[in-house]
Amino acid sequence: MDRDFGRGLYIDGQWQQSRSGRSFPVTNPADGSVIAEIPDAGAEETRAAIDAAHRAFPAWAARPALERARILMDWSRAMEAHQDELARLMTDENGKPLAESRGEVTYAAGFAQWFGEEARRVYGEIVPAATSLKRIWVLRQPVGVVGAITPWNFPAAMVTRKVAPALAAGCTVILKPAEQTPLTAIAIVRLLEEAGIPPGVVNVVVGQDPVAIGDALLDDPRVRKITFTGSTEVGKHLMRRSADTMKRVSLELGGQAPFLVFADADLDLAVQGAIASKFRNTGQTCVSANRIYVEEPVVDEFAHRMAQRVKEMRVGRGTEPGVVVGPLIDRQGYEKVKLHLEDAVRQGASVATGGRVYESGGGFYAEPTVLVGVEERMVVMREETFGPVAPISSFKTEAEALERANATPYGLAAYAYTRDLARGVRVAEGLEYGIVGLNDGMPSTPQAPFGGFKESGQGREGGRQGMDAFLEIKFVSVGLG
Ligand code: ADP
């Protein structure tokens, strides 16, 4: 795999430098070393990419779905075939342990496969009319040029979760990956090029200043859709700014996931689920268990078993064998984890295991930590930590657990562990969240709709529903005379 990213912009089928010739460094969060220099693009390059995507749209939309599907299937197989190289690149720029990077490549390839399959199922409808002299057709057509903005925490999967359904639907795309992790995105778009994507159908614009690129996308009326994963703050900004040209928006924003454990749960399974949810990607996921609520009679036992398991987890560089918790993405992430931990301890929480947040050899690290005796007033329970800190609090009744779980403006993912079927149904239905893991700490999969209630976003990605975001509905009323 080519490790030269000097021509990392992809516009109208051409890999190129920025117009100014300026570039910026991408660093390895494990040690701060520079991995690559990539072009620093702005509004001008973004406008050129929009021109290309706009020109390419009619021919791409007109292609038979089966042909678009074949390209997506080939893309999926190419990602799988390059799993090790892609994983290595991802670990270098994002920090996550290699095994997780490999898993993400499979997850990312899964979206290309799933939407390759779904491309052929964009069905319309024929609705019975009120008179014999009319026919009613309902068609689904691609929305047009799409601006796709992705975050650094899943450098491959967030790209394919957006780009694959857009392409399947017949849309063309300008992809803007996060400035921290553009290399994986560039590498997988190179594979898409090899799979035969025509010039202009997918364009990649990377730059240090996301506002310049974002504004160029937002201001242009030819961009009909913005699909974004990232912070709630930026998501709200994009939604507000989309209003002027009435762009469609899909937003996957922050979470504040509660993780409920009832006394009748299989505690080992619950511990395993909590660890999978909490520590994957060093706690830097929007579905990460942010608040663990355990029913009073089993809280000590649960915390004990979890701390025993967490104590064994090794922190370090993602490329080192045996490491399961990598570095935090940057200093800002580190400061946040530190603040959450210090605030909790100052207000009376105790550290059952872990607790150290430190700089080492140019990287920022946090030990996987279990906090007990945590209360709602602590910052760690009120804000998304985005780090490997598991705060445990106790509850007395099911009603209290649900009330506390729902007492947040966010609504992305929630988890509940119980062996009581009726309780499981009540709780799954009562949680105001777009995703519920019922006795499951890892619910995300390409074939299910992923997305949030409330301030966690708008629209769904993945699943059959993931196509809807890229389709317009057209009603044709046919008069027969
Ligand atoms: P995080 O805090 O996880 O970095 P952000 O919401 O800042 O989340 O970033 C997610 C993505 O949004 C990145 O690709 C980033 O470059 C981009 N981004 C940030 N600000 C803007 C903006 N004003 N317009 C468009 N994209 C933006």
Side-chain angles (χ1 to χ4, degrees):
M1 187 162 278
D2 185 1
R3 280 250 178 176
D4 181 1
F5 294 93
R7 304 175 77 82
L9 300 182
Y10 187 55
I11 300 171
D12 208 9
Q14 300 293 320
W15 291 98
Q16 49 198 268
Q17 298 177 338
S18 61
R19 301 279 152 100
S20 65
R22 272 200 310 270
S23 62
F24 71 101
V26 178
T27 56
N28 183 336
D31 58 15
S33 62
V34 174
I35 318 164
E37 288 282 338
I38 64 159
D40 187 9
E44 200 186 335
E45 292 87 345
T46 308
R47 281 194 290 270
I50 299 170
D51 290 343
H54 183 68
R55 271 196 309 274
F57 174 68
W60 180 247
R63 281 248 196 145
L66 191 58
E67 285 182 22
R68 295 198 301 265
R70 276 200 198 109
I71 294 177
L72 288 170
M73 295 298 194
D74 286 350
W75 189 28
S76 176
R77 279 189 288 270
M79 284 186 262
E80 290 281 20
H82 290 84
Q83 187 185 33
D84 285 342
E85 299 141 276
L86 287 171
R88 179 64 206 229
L89 190 61
M90 197 188 298
T91 293
D92 284 352
E93 66 176 350
N94 165 285
K96 66 177 69 181
L98 265 179
E100 281 192 34
S101 295
R102 277 200 204 94
E104 187 185 333
V105 174
T106 298
Y107 183 43
F111 285 107
Q113 185 189 349
W114 170 259
F115 286 110
E117 291 160 354
E118 283 297 288
R120 302 172 66 185
R121 288 188 273 276
V122 180
Y123 303 135
E125 274 180 66
I126 294 179
V127 181
T131 135
S132 61
L133 292 178
K134 281 196 179 193
R135 297 293 183 270
I136 295 172
W137 299 341
V138 180
L139 312 178
R140 297 207 290 162
Q141 296 186 320
V143 63
V145 174
V146 172
I149 302 173
T150 55
W152 51 263
N153 62 344
F154 289 94
M158 295 305 100
V159 171
T160 57
R161 193 161 80 176
K162 294 175 173 9
V163 172
L167 297 181
C171 296
T172 55
V173 181
I174 298 103
L175 168 66
K176 194 215 85 62
E179 52 277 24
Q180 297 92 334
T181 59
L183 307 183
T184 309
I186 292 169
I188 62 177
V189 171
R190 284 176 178 162
L191 296 178
L192 181 56
E193 183 186 33
E194 284 173 22
I197 199 78
V201 173
V202 171
N203 306 272
V204 182
V205 181
V206 290
Q208 267 189 111
D209 178 9
V211 181
I213 298 171
D215 283 356
L217 290 171
L218 289 163
D219 288 340
D220 198 312
R222 294 173 299 173
V223 176
R224 295 309 319 143
K225 164 95 193 179
I226 295 286
T227 172
F228 168 80
T229 298
S231 61
T232 298
E233 184 196 350
V234 173
K236 287 181 179 176
H237 161 76
L238 296 175
M239 190 168 178
R240 267 186 221 111
R241 290 278 269 96
S242 289
D244 289 337
T245 49
M246 203 45 79
K247 294 186 204 317
R248 277 59 181 133
V249 291
S250 291
L251 306 168
E252 300 291 353
L253 312 177
Q256 240 270 38
F259 191 103
L260 313 183
V261 182
F262 290 91
D264 58 38
D266 176 332
L267 282 195
D268 285 329
L269 195 71
V271 166
Q272 192 187 322
I275 287 174
S277 163
K278 177 73 254 181
F279 297 108
R280 186 162 64 114
N281 204 9
T282 312
Q284 302 169 120
T285 79
C286 47
V287 294
S288 179
N290 205 64
R291 306 170 281 150
I292 301 177
Y293 297 107
V294 186
E295 199 170 346
E296 211 165 50
V298 296
V299 66
D300 291 342
E301 181 58 23
F302 178 88
H304 173 71
R305 290 195 207 177
M306 181 146 174
Q308 289 300 106
R309 291 275 307 276
V310 170
K311 212 176 275 171
E312 306 295 318
M313 296 172 74
R314 261 192 70 199
V315 191
R317 297 179 73 100
T319 47
E320 260 174 49
V323 163
V324 291
V325 174
L328 293 161
I329 191 72
D330 55 19
R331 177 182 290 278
Q332 212 183 329
Y334 154 87
E335 296 290 355
K336 189 171 190 188
V337 173
K338 200 159 174 277
L339 184 144
H340 283 207
L341 257 173
E342 285 172 359
D343 171 80
V345 170
R346 195 176 42 246
Q347 295 206 60
S350 333
V351 175
T353 186
R356 208 159 71 87
V357 190
Y358 57 100
E359 280 187 69
S360 166
F364 297 98
Y365 295 85
E367 281 179 352
T369 299
V370 175
L371 289 176
V372 292
V374 175
E375 290 174 31
E376 294 294 343
R377 63 172 191 276
M378 300 172 184
V379 182
V380 76
M381 295 293 269
R382 288 188 280 111
E383 290 176 16
E384 193 177 23
T385 306
F386 240 57
V389 180
I392 299 179
S393 184
S394 68
F395 67 85
K396 287 198 174 71
T397 65
E398 184 183 311
E400 180 200 340
L402 265 180
E403 192 188 320
R404 287 170 69 188
N406 287 335
T408 161
Y410 295 101
L412 187 57
Y415 306 84
Y417 277 72
T418 174
R419 277 189 285 214
D420 179 332
L421 177 63
R423 164 174 281 151
V425 170
R426 280 195 305 272
V427 170
E429 289 177 358
L431 285 164
E432 295 166 359
Y433 288 81
I435 302 160
V436 175
L438 186 56
N439 297 322
D440 184 5
M442 293 262 282
S444 305
T445 172
Q447 53 268 52
F450 184 106
F453 286 15
K454 297 168 147 176
E455 294 188 26
S456 286
Q458 183 90 216
R460 294 294 179 271
E461 291 189 319
R464 183 169 57 74
Q465 296 82 352
M467 287 290 283
D468 297 343
F470 300 97
L471 294 165
E472 279 287 11
I473 292 176
K474 179 182 285 177
F475 148 50
V476 182
S477 183
V478 186
L480 303 185

